[in-house]
Coordinates of all heavy atoms in Angstrom, one line a residue:
S1 N -21.4 -3.5 26.0 CA -20.2 -2.7 26.1 C -18.9 -3.6 25.9 O -18.0 -3.1 25.3 CB -20.1 -1.9 27.4 OG -20.0 -2.8 28.5
G2 N -18.9 -4.8 26.4 CA -17.8 -5.7 26.2 C -17.6 -6.0 24.7 O -16.5 -6.1 24.2
A3 N -18.7 -6.3 24.0 CA -18.6 -6.6 22.6 C -18.1 -5.4 21.8 O -17.3 -5.5 20.9 CB -20.0 -7.0 22.1
A4 N -18.6 -4.2 22.1 CA -18.2 -3.0 21.5 C -16.7 -2.8 21.7 O -16.0 -2.4 20.8 CB -19.0 -1.8 21.9
A5 N -16.2 -3.0 22.9 CA -14.8 -2.8 23.2 C -14.0 -3.8 22.5 O -12.9 -3.4 21.9 CB -14.6 -3.0 24.7
K6 N -14.4 -5.0 22.4 CA -13.6 -6.0 21.6 C -13.5 -5.6 20.1 O -12.5 -5.7 19.5 CB -14.3 -7.4 21.8 CG -13.5 -8.5 21.1 CD -14.1 -9.8 21.4 CE -13.3 -10.9 20.7 NZ -13.9 -12.2 20.9
T7 N -14.6 -5.2 19.6 CA -14.7 -4.8 18.2 C -13.8 -3.6 17.9 O -13.0 -3.6 16.9 CB -16.1 -4.4 17.7 OG1 -17.0 -5.6 18.0 CG2 -16.2 -4.1 16.3
S8 N -13.7 -2.6 18.8 CA -13.0 -1.4 18.6 C -11.5 -1.7 18.8 O -10.7 -0.9 18.2 CB -13.4 -0.3 19.5 OG -13.2 -0.6 20.8
T9 N -11.1 -2.7 19.5 CA -9.6 -2.9 19.7 C -9.1 -4.0 18.7 O -7.9 -4.1 18.6 CB -9.3 -3.4 21.1 OG1 -10.1 -4.6 21.3 CG2 -9.7 -2.3 22.1
T10 N -10.0 -4.6 17.9 CA -9.5 -5.6 17.0 C -9.1 -4.9 15.7 O -9.9 -4.1 15.1 CB -10.6 -6.6 16.6 OG1 -11.0 -7.2 17.8 CG2 -10.1 -7.6 15.7
T11 N -7.8 -5.0 15.3 CA -7.4 -4.4 14.0 C -6.7 -5.5 13.1 O -6.3 -6.5 13.6 CB -6.3 -3.3 14.3 OG1 -5.2 -3.9 15.0 CG2 -6.9 -2.2 15.1
D12 N -6.7 -5.1 11.9 CA -6.0 -6.0 10.9 C -4.5 -5.7 10.9 O -4.1 -4.6 10.4 CB -6.6 -5.8 9.5 CG -6.1 -6.8 8.5 OD1 -5.2 -7.6 8.8 OD2 -6.5 -6.6 7.3
H13 N -3.7 -6.6 11.4 CA -2.3 -6.3 11.4 C -1.6 -6.7 10.2 O -0.4 -6.6 10.1 CB -1.6 -7.2 12.6 CG -2.1 -6.7 13.9 ND1 -1.8 -5.5 14.5 CD2 -3.0 -7.3 14.8 CE1 -2.4 -5.3 15.6 NE2 -3.1 -6.4 15.9
N14 N -2.3 -7.0 9.1 CA -1.7 -7.5 7.9 C -2.5 -6.8 6.7 O -2.9 -7.6 5.9 CB -1.7 -8.9 7.8 CG -0.6 -9.5 6.9 OD1 0.3 -8.7 6.5 ND2 -0.7 -10.7 6.5
P15 N -2.6 -5.5 6.7 CA -3.4 -4.9 5.7 C -2.7 -4.9 4.3 O -1.5 -5.0 4.3 CB -3.6 -3.4 6.1 CG -2.4 -3.2 7.0 CD -2.1 -4.5 7.6
A16 N -3.5 -4.8 3.3 CA -2.9 -4.8 1.9 C -2.3 -3.4 1.8 O -2.5 -2.5 2.6 CB -4.0 -5.0 0.9
I17 N -1.6 -3.2 0.7 CA -0.9 -1.9 0.4 C -1.9 -0.8 0.4 O -3.0 -0.9 -0.1 CB -0.2 -2.0 -1.0 CG1 0.6 -0.8 -1.3 CG2 -1.1 -2.3 -2.1 CD1 1.5 -0.9 -2.4
K18 N -1.5 0.4 1.0 CA -2.4 1.5 1.1 C -1.9 2.7 0.3 O -2.6 3.7 0.1 CB -2.7 1.9 2.5 CG -3.5 0.8 3.2 CD -3.8 1.3 4.6 CE -4.7 0.2 5.2 NZ -5.2 0.6 6.5
D19 N -0.6 2.8 0.0 CA -0.1 3.9 -0.7 C 1.0 3.5 -1.7 O 1.3 2.3 -1.7 CB 0.5 5.0 0.3 CG 1.7 4.6 1.0 OD1 2.5 3.8 0.4 OD2 1.8 4.9 2.2
S20 N 1.4 4.4 -2.6 CA 2.3 4.0 -3.6 C 3.8 4.2 -3.2 O 4.6 3.9 -4.0 CB 2.0 4.9 -4.8 OG 2.2 6.3 -4.5
S21 N 4.1 4.6 -2.0 CA 5.4 4.8 -1.6 C 6.1 3.5 -1.1 O 5.5 2.9 -0.2 CB 5.5 5.8 -0.4 OG 4.9 7.0 -0.8
P22 N 7.2 3.1 -1.7 CA 7.8 1.9 -1.2 C 8.4 2.1 0.2 O 9.0 3.1 0.4 CB 8.9 1.6 -2.2 CG 9.1 2.8 -3.0 CD 7.8 3.7 -2.8
A23 N 8.2 1.1 1.1 CA 8.7 1.2 2.4 C 9.7 0.1 2.6 O 9.6 -0.9 2.1 CB 7.6 1.1 3.4
Q24 N 10.8 0.4 3.4 CA 11.8 -0.6 3.7 C 11.2 -1.4 5.0 O 10.8 -0.8 5.9 CB 13.1 0.0 4.1 CG 14.3 -0.9 4.2 CD 14.7 -1.4 2.8 OE1 14.6 -0.8 1.8 NE2 15.2 -2.7 2.8
A25 N 11.3 -2.7 4.9 CA 10.8 -3.5 6.0 C 11.9 -4.5 6.4 O 12.8 -4.8 5.6 CB 9.6 -4.3 5.6
S26 N 11.9 -5.0 7.6 CA 13.0 -5.9 8.1 C 12.6 -7.3 7.6 O 13.5 -8.2 7.5 CB 13.1 -5.9 9.6 OG 11.8 -6.2 10.2
M27 N 11.3 -7.6 7.4 CA 10.9 -8.9 7.0 C 9.7 -8.8 6.0 O 8.8 -8.0 6.3 CB 10.5 -9.7 8.2 CG 10.3 -11.2 8.0 SD 10.2 -12.0 9.6 CE 8.7 -12.9 9.3
A28 N 9.7 -9.6 5.0 CA 8.6 -9.6 4.0 C 7.4 -10.2 4.6 O 7.5 -11.2 5.3 CB 9.0 -10.3 2.7
A29 N 6.2 -9.6 4.3 CA 5.0 -10.2 4.7 C 4.5 -11.3 3.7 O 4.6 -11.0 2.5 CB 3.9 -9.1 4.8
E30 N 4.2 -12.4 4.3 CA 3.7 -13.5 3.4 C 2.3 -13.2 3.0 O 1.5 -12.7 3.7 CB 3.8 -14.8 4.1 CG 5.2 -15.2 4.5 CD 5.2 -16.5 5.3 OE1 4.1 -17.2 5.4 OE2 6.2 -16.9 5.8
G31 N 1.9 -13.5 1.7 CA 0.6 -13.3 1.3 C 0.5 -13.3 -0.2 O 1.5 -13.2 -0.9
R32 N -0.6 -13.4 -0.7 CA -0.9 -13.4 -2.2 C -0.4 -12.1 -2.8 O -1.0 -11.1 -2.4 CB -2.3 -13.8 -2.5 CG -2.5 -14.0 -3.9 CD -4.0 -14.4 -4.1 NE -4.2 -14.5 -5.5 CZ -5.0 -15.4 -6.1 NH1 -5.7 -16.2 -5.3 NH2 -5.2 -15.3 -7.4
N33 N 0.5 -12.1 -3.7 CA 1.0 -10.9 -4.3 C 0.4 -10.6 -5.6 O 0.5 -11.5 -6.5 CB 2.6 -11.0 -4.4 CG 3.3 -9.7 -4.6 OD1 2.8 -8.8 -5.3 ND2 4.4 -9.6 -4.0
S34 N -0.2 -9.5 -5.8 CA -0.8 -9.2 -7.1 C 0.0 -8.3 -8.0 O -0.4 -8.0 -9.1 CB -2.2 -8.5 -6.9 OG -2.0 -7.3 -6.2
F35 N 1.2 -8.0 -7.5 CA 2.1 -7.2 -8.4 C 2.6 -8.1 -9.6 O 2.9 -9.2 -9.3 CB 3.3 -6.7 -7.6 CG 3.1 -5.6 -6.6 CD1 3.2 -5.8 -5.3 CD2 2.8 -4.3 -7.1 CE1 3.0 -4.8 -4.4 CE2 2.6 -3.3 -6.2 CZ 2.7 -3.6 -4.8
T36 N 2.7 -7.5 -10.7 CA 3.4 -8.2 -11.8 C 4.9 -8.0 -11.6 O 5.3 -7.2 -10.8 CB 2.9 -7.7 -13.2 OG1 3.4 -6.3 -13.3 CG2 1.4 -7.7 -13.4
E37 N 5.7 -8.8 -12.4 CA 7.1 -8.6 -12.3 C 7.5 -7.2 -12.7 O 8.3 -6.6 -12.0 CB 7.8 -9.6 -13.1 CG 9.3 -9.5 -13.1 CD 10.1 -10.5 -13.9 OE1 9.5 -11.3 -14.6 OE2 11.4 -10.4 -13.8
S38 N 6.9 -6.7 -13.7 CA 7.2 -5.3 -14.1 C 6.8 -4.3 -13.0 O 7.6 -3.3 -12.8 CB 6.4 -5.0 -15.4 OG 6.6 -3.7 -15.8
Q39 N 5.7 -4.5 -12.4 CA 5.3 -3.5 -11.3 C 6.3 -3.7 -10.1 O 6.6 -2.7 -9.5 CB 3.9 -3.8 -10.8 CG 2.9 -3.4 -11.8 CD 1.5 -4.0 -11.5 OE1 1.3 -5.1 -10.9 NE2 0.5 -3.2 -11.9
A40 N 6.7 -4.9 -9.8 CA 7.7 -5.1 -8.8 C 9.0 -4.4 -9.1 O 9.6 -3.7 -8.2 CB 7.9 -6.6 -8.5
R41 N 9.4 -4.6 -10.3 CA 10.7 -3.9 -10.7 C 10.6 -2.4 -10.6 O 11.5 -1.8 -10.1 CB 11.0 -4.4 -12.2 CG 12.2 -3.8 -12.7 CD 12.5 -4.3 -14.2 NE 12.3 -5.7 -14.4 CZ 13.1 -6.6 -14.0 NH1 14.2 -6.3 -13.4 NH2 12.9 -7.9 -14.3
S42 N 9.5 -1.8 -11.1 CA 9.2 -0.4 -11.0 C 9.3 0.1 -9.6 O 9.8 1.1 -9.2 CB 7.9 -0.1 -11.7 OG 7.6 1.3 -11.5

């Protein structure tokens, strides 16, 4: 039960993009960016 509890409370706090809506953030997340310049501009 301790192992199951640990597993269920562990979450990824840095998930990759999940939707196409741009969101305003206070700080950029560091990580490998797969957007092209054209996609970023769009």
Side-chain angles (χ1 to χ4, degrees):
S1 66
K6 183 176 181 182
T7 302
S8 65
T9 59
T10 303
T11 58
D12 185 0
H13 294 292
N14 205 12
I17 185 170
K18 291 187 178 185
D19 66 36
S20 62
S21 304
Q24 191 72 33
S26 60
M27 193 168 129
E30 295 179 10
R32 187 175 175 148
N33 195 323
S34 62
F35 288 112
T36 64
E37 181 180 1
S38 176
Q39 290 169 326
R41 181 181 312 285
S42 175

